[in-house]
Amino acid sequence: MQNFKITRLEYGRGSKMALLIFSHWGSHLFVYKMFVKLFPGTYRVLYHYPRSILTADVPRTIERFGFLEKTVRNDFPSFKRDGVESLCFYGSSLGSILATRLANIAKAEGFKVSLVLNLSSASFPYAVWHGKATRHIQKELAAKGVNFAELNKAWGYLSPINNLANLRVTPILLFASSRDDTFGRNNVA
């Protein structure tokens, strides 16, 4: 995909469990390179993406989320070939949106899954529309004539609340914050 690159880094193959890590929006790669060191002996795959994954261009955002989803799903067959039976998805902020969606998909494809969500939300469109960190995107959308109902219709499928069908008995650890600039308290509680 032109001008959009996902960095995929792998550490410590050979385990029956893999930790898949999805970074927060606008994060620096070096932070997550340090983070993966906290889990020695575990097979870890880090997916890092540029800030441009989320823009006021609704179709482009859908395309980029789809590209990342396809990248991760393309790893599923090799995980199975390597004997990986269980996937733990870790997502921080925007990464929690991706982690929840992909955990739901992985569960449907036969993996045991667990989730660790740091600063997540129920509704992705709501978080973008009402978040402080994404205020510029909301303003650009409004300037284009896109209202919240249209955004919710276009991006609602990404929301964690809409990606729980296969996760009913899945262990989920959720860390929330009353001070997150995107996922406000009213979208988490």
Side-chain angles (χ1 to χ4, degrees), residues 25-26 51-57 127-144 155 181-182:
W25 185 50
R51 188 173 176 85
S52 63
I53 192 169
L54 175 61
T55 71
D57 184 332
V128 172
W129 196 261
H130 295 286
K132 290 178 189 173
T134 53
R135 190 165 288 141
H136 68 284
I137 292 176
Q138 187 275 334
K139 287 180 180 179
E140 286 180 51
L141 288 165
K144 293 178 178 182
W155 289 354
D181 284 341
T182 303

Side-chain angles (χ1 to χ4, degrees), residues 4-155:
F4 184 76
K5 182 180 181 228
I6 295 166
T7 301
R8 182 193 176 283
L9 301 173
E10 237 180 76
Y11 305 84
R13 283 185 153 235
S15 174
K16 290 192 178 289
M17 193 275 287
L19 173 61
L20 309 183
I21 301 166
F22 300 89
S23 60
H24 65 277
W25 185 50
S27 67
H28 296 286
L29 182 58
F30 77 89
V31 172
Y32 285 91
K33 283 183 173 181
M34 291 178 5
F35 180 72
V36 298
K37 292 178 182 178
L38 297 173
F39 306 95
T42 303
Y43 180 22
R44 295 145 289 162
V45 183
L46 168 60
Y47 300 93
H48 187 270
Y49 28 84
R51 188 173 176 85
S52 63
I53 192 169
L54 175 61
T55 71
D57 184 332
V58 174
R60 178 168 288 151
T61 296
I62 291 169
E63 179 183 38
R64 290 177 175 173
F65 270 77
F67 181 68
L68 178 59
E69 181 180 311
K70 182 179 177 188
T71 299
V72 176
R73 289 184 78 175
N74 284 343
D75 284 343
F76 289 176
S78 66
F79 292 154
K80 287 182 179 179
R81 275 192 308 276
D82 291 345
V84 174
E85 300 168 354
S86 178
L87 301 175
C88 179
F89 291 82
Y90 171 86
S92 185
S93 200
L94 177 82
S96 71
I97 304 301
L98 298 157
T100 305
R101 179 159 173 76
L102 286 157
N104 191 49
I105 292 167
K107 182 74 172 187
E109 293 189 17
F111 287 100
K112 296 176 194 170
V113 300
S114 58
L115 274 164
V116 179
L117 304 175
N118 182 30
L119 302 175
S120 191
S121 70
S123 169
F124 175 59
Y126 184 93
V128 172
W129 196 261
H130 295 286
K132 290 178 189 173
T134 53
R135 190 165 288 141
H136 68 284
I137 292 176
Q138 187 275 334
K139 287 180 180 179
E140 286 180 51
L141 288 165
K144 293 178 178 182
V146 177
N147 62 36
F148 175 71
E150 293 167 326
L151 186 66
N152 194 43
K153 184 176 180 182
W155 289 354

Side-chain angles (χ1 to χ4, degrees), residues 168-179:
R168 287 188 181 92
V169 294
T170 298
I172 300 175
L173 180 59
L174 176 66
F175 295 94
S177 169
S178 60
R179 298 186 58 120

